[in-house]
Amino acid sequence: MTALDLSSPVAVVGTGTMGQGIAQVALVAGHPVRLYDAAPGRAREAAAAIGARLDRLVEKERLTAAGRDAARARLLPVEELTGLAGCALVVEAVLERLDVKQELFRALEDVVPDDCLLATNTSSLSVTAIGGALRLPGRFVGLHFFNPAPLLPLVEVVSGSATDVTSATRAYETARAWGKTPVACADTPGFIVNRVARPFYAEAFAVYESQGADPATIDAVLRESGGFRMGPFELTDLIGQDVNESVTHSVWRSFFQDARFTPSLAQRRLVESGRLGRKTGRGWYDHADGAERPEPHTADPAEPPAYVIAEGGLGPASELLALIREAGVEVRERDEDGGTRLVLPGGGKLVLADGRTTAEFRDVVHFDLALDYRRATRIALSHARHTSPAAVAEATGLFQALGKKVSVIGDVPGMIVARTVARIVDLAVEAVARGVATEDDVDTAMRLGVNYPLGPFEWSRRLGRGWAGELLDELHGIDPSGRCAPSLALHQYACAADEREDTP
C-alpha cells in the first residue's frame, strides 16, 4: 500500500494551532487541502493565517514564490461538512473529548466515500474508542503530530484494535511522503512518547516534593549532566501546566491508576492556582517582563583531593578515571570485590547513584549519572546529614577540578538523572514487550518527539541492560508503593542479555 497520490484532496477538521499546522504540512507536500471548522468564519481565518506563514517561508527562502502561489491555490476553506465530500483523507484536530470526536466522525461517514482514510490527531484519547462509533472502523487510524507540526518531524501512526493493516500502512507512507518521520504503534494510553516520557516529569516533581532540590537546580542538572535540551520545570511551563497535567492524568486513569504514572500534587496545586506557565505569566517560574530567573544551586569552590583510590571500574562512570588523571589528581587503583567507588583521602567514598540513600552508609557521597562525563558541565552530589563535611568538600573539589559546576542536593535515592533515565528505560522496555512499538521506533520517537539526547534503548546499551533494573529494585525496596517498581519486562530484558553472554 503506497502513500496517497498528490492529486488526492486532504481535509483538516479543526483550525486551531495544530489543525493549521497539519494543513500546512499537507499543502506544502502538494495536496489540495480543504479546511473545515464548526465555528462560522474560522476556516477562512485559518486559511489566511496559513497563507501568511507561507509568505514567511518565502522570506526565509524555504519556499519559492511560485510554490507559495500554487499552495495557496490548492487551499480551500469550506463552511459545511459536506464540502469535504470526495476527500481521500480527513485528519481531525478538534476538542479532546471522546463524544465530540465520535459525533464528528459519524457525521463524516455520511459525507466521504467508503475508501476515505479517517484519522485523529488525539494525544490522549483511545483511537479504538473513537473509531468504535464508526460503521467502517477499519479505515480509522491515529496520526499524532507534534506541535509545531510543520517543524517537528515525528508522527505517531496509531493502529486501533479495529484498524486494517492497509489503512495503517497507507497512513504511514503518506506521513513519510510529507517529509515526516513516522513511527508505528499500537493503541495504548499515551502511545509511545506520552507514555514513555511520564518519568521525565514525575521524577523531577518527586525530587522537588521531597525537598531534595529546587526547580532551577533540577532543570540545570538534567540539562547540563543528563544532556536533555530542557528541564521538566521549564518545559512544562512552556507546554502549559494544565496541558501537561491533563495528559498525565489521562495516562494514569487509562492504566487503572497504576502507581508508576501517579500525578504530582505540587503540579495539581499549580494548576488550581492558575499558574499555568508562560501563557499566564507564572508557573514554576515567573515569566513576567523583567523577572529574574532563579539560579541553580552551585557549590562554592573547594580544594581538590591530592589523590583518589579507585575500587572497581566505576561502571557507567568509568570515563571519570581518565578525566581525574588529566586534571592532575593521582588515581591509585586497588582490587576490591564488588567495589565500584572512589575512596577520598579523608576516608569518604564517592559512589555512583544506585537507588540507595546515603543515610544507609557512613561518609558516602553519591554522584549522579551523566550522559557524557567529559562534556557535562554540572554534576550533582548527594549526602546524608551525618556525612562528614570533609568528605563533601573533597568530593566537591574533585569534580570542580574536572571543570564541573557542582550542585549539592538532599539525600535523594537515585538522585536526579539516574532515577529519571532508569524509569524511562523501564517504561520503554515494557512498551516493546507489550507490542506497542519496536525498539527502534521507541528510540526514534523519544529523540524526535521530545528531543531526548538518546533513545531509551540507546541509553540501556550504554549503561548495561541490568543497570536500570538494579537501580529500580533499590528504589522500590525503599519505597514499596509501586511508583518505582521495575516491570517484569525489564527483568526479562536483562536476563535475555545474560543468556546471550552465557551462550558458547
Side-chain angles (χ1 to χ4, degrees), residues 379-452:
I379 295 293
L381 301 180
S382 175
H383 67 88
R385 293 181 180 178
H386 59 66
T387 305
S388 70
V392 177
E394 286 184 327
T396 300
L398 175 64
F399 281 104
Q400 288 174 341
L402 307 186
K404 318 299 183 188
K405 296 177 182 176
V406 174
S407 290
V408 180
I409 67 172
D411 186 12
V412 177
M415 301 194 68
I416 298 172
V417 180
R419 67 190 286 165
T420 299
V421 171
R423 290 212 55 223
I424 288 171
V425 168
D426 181 37
L427 293 189
V429 168
E430 184 185 49
V432 170
R434 294 187 176 222
V436 174
T438 66
E439 290 186 11
D440 286 345
D441 276 355
V442 169
D443 276 357
T444 297
M446 302 314 293
R447 283 188 287 101
L448 298 184
V450 278
N451 289 311
Y452 283 7

Side-chain angles (χ1 to χ4, degrees), residues 20-82:
Q20 290 182 31
I22 296 169
Q24 180 181 327
V25 170
L27 195 63
V28 171
H31 288 274
V33 174
R34 301 178 193 176
L35 287 175
Y36 170 77
D37 197 289
R42 193 71 60 80
R44 288 194 302 273
E45 293 173 4
I50 293 170
R53 282 201 288 272
L54 295 177
D55 288 338
R56 289 195 289 274
L57 290 179
V58 173
E59 293 170 3
K60 296 177 181 178
E61 299 183 349
R62 295 178 183 171
L63 184 68
T64 65
R68 173 200 59 197
D69 295 342
R72 279 180 168 170
R74 294 193 302 271
L75 183 59
L76 177 65
V78 300
E79 293 297 323
E80 300 293 336
L81 205 61
T82 52

